[in-house]
C-alpha cells in the first residue's frame, strides 16, 4: 500500500496563503499542507522524535481522543512513551520500520503494521534502522467497566486483515476491522475504510461516534455537516458526534482512510 506521510519543510514566500483549512464547531479539516516543520511538537522521554498533533481533547474540538503523526529518526524512540497510565493506544505505521516491545517481546512493525496497546504501559518503541519511521499514534482514556476485562495487546498488519464489503455495494465500500466489533472490552475502534473509484456513502451518516479520519491515499468529495469539501491523501478530518457525513470517491484510484471512533460505552451524563 502507498500511505501518505507529511513532507514537513516550509512553503516558499511565493506560495499563496489560501488553503482548504477549516475549523468549525461541527468539523475540522487540516489539509496536508498545514503539517510543516514549524508546527511539530516534542514529547518527554522520546529521543530523536518529532510529531504533528492533529487532534486533542479541547472544548469545541476532539472530546474522546488524541492523534499524532510521529516521526522517529534512526536510533530514536522511547522507553517511557506515555505518561498517562489510563491511556490505551493504537499505532499504525505508514513509512519505515519500528521495533515495538510489548511485555518483553519484540515486534518489528513495517508499513501497514497495527498494534493495539492496552492501558498501563508495558510497551516501548525504538527505530533500529538507518531510515526515518513514521506512524500514527491514537490515544484514548480507557473506560474500565466492572466485570469487563481489559483487552490484551494485539499486533498485526493490514495485509493480514480482510476487507469486509458493506451490504449492497459489490465491494465498492469496504472496511478492515482490526478488532471484533462485538467485543465490548474495546471502547474504541481504529479501522481502515476503502472506497473504489465512484464508491459512495449514499446517505448523510449522523451518529453518536466521534471520528478522526486521516486519508491514507486517494481523493474524494466529503460531506461535512452542510458543506461538501474536496479532500486528498494526507488530509486529516475531525467530525464531532452527530455531524452529518457522506462522501464520493472521485479519483482514479482507491480512496482510503484510517478511521477512529469511540464505541461500546454509555455516553457520560455529566461533563
Amino acid at each position: 500500500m502507498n500511505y501518505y506521510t507529511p513532507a514537513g519543510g516550509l512553503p516558499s514566500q511565493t506560495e499563496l496563503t489560501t488553503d482548504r483549512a477549516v475549523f468549525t464547531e461541527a468539523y475540522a479539516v487540516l489539509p496536508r499542507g498545514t503539517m510543516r516543520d514549524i508546527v511539530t511538537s516534542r514529547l518527554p522521554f522520546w529521543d530523536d522524535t518529532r510529531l504533528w498533533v492533529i487532534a486533542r481533547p479541547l472544548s469545541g474540538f476532539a472530546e474522546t481522543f488524541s492523534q499524532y503523526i510521529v516521526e522517529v529518526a534512526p536510533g530514536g524512540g522511547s522507553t517511557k512513551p506515555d505518561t498517562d497510565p489510563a491511556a490505551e493506544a493504537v499505532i499504525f505505521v505508514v513509512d519505515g520500520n519500528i521495533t515495538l516491545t510489548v511485555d518483553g517481546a519484540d515486534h518489528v512493525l513495517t508499513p501497514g503494521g497495527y498494534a493495539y496497546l492496552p492501558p498501563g504501559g508495558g510497551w516501548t518503541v525504538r527505530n533500529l534502522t538507518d531510515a526515518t519511521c513514521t506512524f500514527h499514534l491514537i490515544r484514548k482514556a480507557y473506560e474500565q467497566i466492572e466485570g469487563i476485562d481489559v483487552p490484551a495487546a494485539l499486533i498485526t498488519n493490514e495485509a493480514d486483515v480482510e476487507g469486509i464489503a458493506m451490504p449492497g455495494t459489490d465491494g465498492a465500500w469496504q472496511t478492515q476491522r482490526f478488532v471484533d466489533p462485538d467485543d465490548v472490552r474495546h471502547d474504541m475502534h481504529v479501522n481502515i475504510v476503502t472506497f473504489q473509484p465512484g464508491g459512495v456513502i449514499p446517505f448523510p451518516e449522523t451518529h453518536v461516534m466521534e471520528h478522526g479520519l486521516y486519508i491514507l491515499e486517494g481523493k474524494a468529495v466529503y460531506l461535512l455537516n452542510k458543506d461538501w469539501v474536496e479532500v486528498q491523501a494526507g488530509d486529516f478530518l475531525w467530525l464531532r458526534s452527530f455531524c452529518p457525513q457522506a462522501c464520493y470517491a472521485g479519483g482514479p484510484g482507491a480512496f482510503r482512510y484510517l478511521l477512529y471512533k469511540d464505541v461500546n460505552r454509555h455516553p457520560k451524563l455529566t461533563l
Side-chain angles (χ1 to χ4, degrees):
M1 297 297 180
N2 182 26
Y3 310 114
Y4 188 91
T5 58
L10 186 69
S12 73
Q13 294 287 293
T14 60
E15 290 192 28
L16 294 177
T17 301
T18 306
D19 202 347
R20 296 171 293 113
V22 178
F23 190 95
T24 77
E25 292 182 353
Y27 72 89
V29 179
L30 279 61
R32 65 190 191 187
T34 63
M35 299 172 200
R36 301 294 186 166
D37 290 356
I38 61 172
V39 296
T40 57
S41 299
R42 307 284 174 173
L43 288 176
F45 311 114
W46 284 79
D47 304 321
D48 299 315
T49 299
R50 68 176 188 172
L51 57 146
W52 287 272
V53 178
I54 55 178
R56 54 157 287 189
L58 183 71
S59 175
F61 191 43
E63 296 178 345
T64 62
F65 75 109
S66 65
Q67 184 164 345
Y68 315 148
I69 304 173
V70 183
E71 192 178 87
V72 183
S78 179
T79 58
K80 191 177 179 180
D82 205 315
T83 54
D84 186 345
E88 60 184 334
V90 163
I91 286 175
F92 184 78
V93 177
V94 292
D95 188 51
N97 299 347
I98 197 80
T99 298
L100 170 69
T101 303
V102 182
D103 297 327
D106 292 341
H107 307 268
V108 178
L109 300 185
T110 59
Y114 170 102
Y116 169 77
L117 303 163
W123 62 278
T124 66
V125 285
R126 185 66 59 184
N127 184 352
L128 301 178
T129 74
D130 58 2
T132 297
C133 177
T134 304
F135 58 89
H136 286 256
L137 178 60
I138 300 171
R139 303 166 62 248
K140 182 181 182 296
Y142 183 70
E143 297 180 54
Q144 180 70 60
I145 303 295
E146 185 177 355
I148 302 293
D149 292 335
V150 175
L154 170 67
I155 294 99
T156 185
N157 190 290
E158 79 139 305
D160 300 319
V161 178
E162 181 181 3
I164 305 300
M166 297 296 285
T169 65
D170 295 324
W173 176 8
Q174 296 188 10
T175 301
Q176 290 164 276
R177 297 181 174 91
F178 291 94
V179 300
D180 183 349
D182 293 327
D183 185 349
V184 297
R185 295 178 303 165
H186 288 275
D187 66 354
M188 75 168 176
H189 290 163
V190 177
N191 302 326
I192 294 177
V193 179
T194 300
F195 290 90
Q196 297 304 322
V200 303
I201 297 176
F203 72 104
E205 292 188 32
T206 308
H207 52 62
V208 69
M209 287 85 76
E210 179 179 33
H211 279 336
L213 191 159
Y214 180 84
I215 301 170
L216 297 168
E217 61 178 298
K219 66 177 183 176
V221 181
Y222 224 96
L223 174 65
L224 299 167
N225 198 13
K226 299 180 292 182
D227 307 316
W228 286 97
V229 180
E230 279 193 298
V231 296
Q232 64 180 339
D235 293 349
F236 174 76
L237 314 178
W238 164 73
L239 288 71
R240 192 172 192 167
S241 296
F242 301 108
C243 176
Q245 58 194 271
C247 79
Y248 288 87
F255 173 63
R256 310 185 71 234
Y257 52 82
L258 189 69
L259 179 70
Y260 160 87
K261 58 183 174 180
D262 53 316
V263 296
N264 296 340
R265 294 294 185 268
H266 284 291
K268 290 183 174 64
L269 298 181
T270 57
L271 298 178

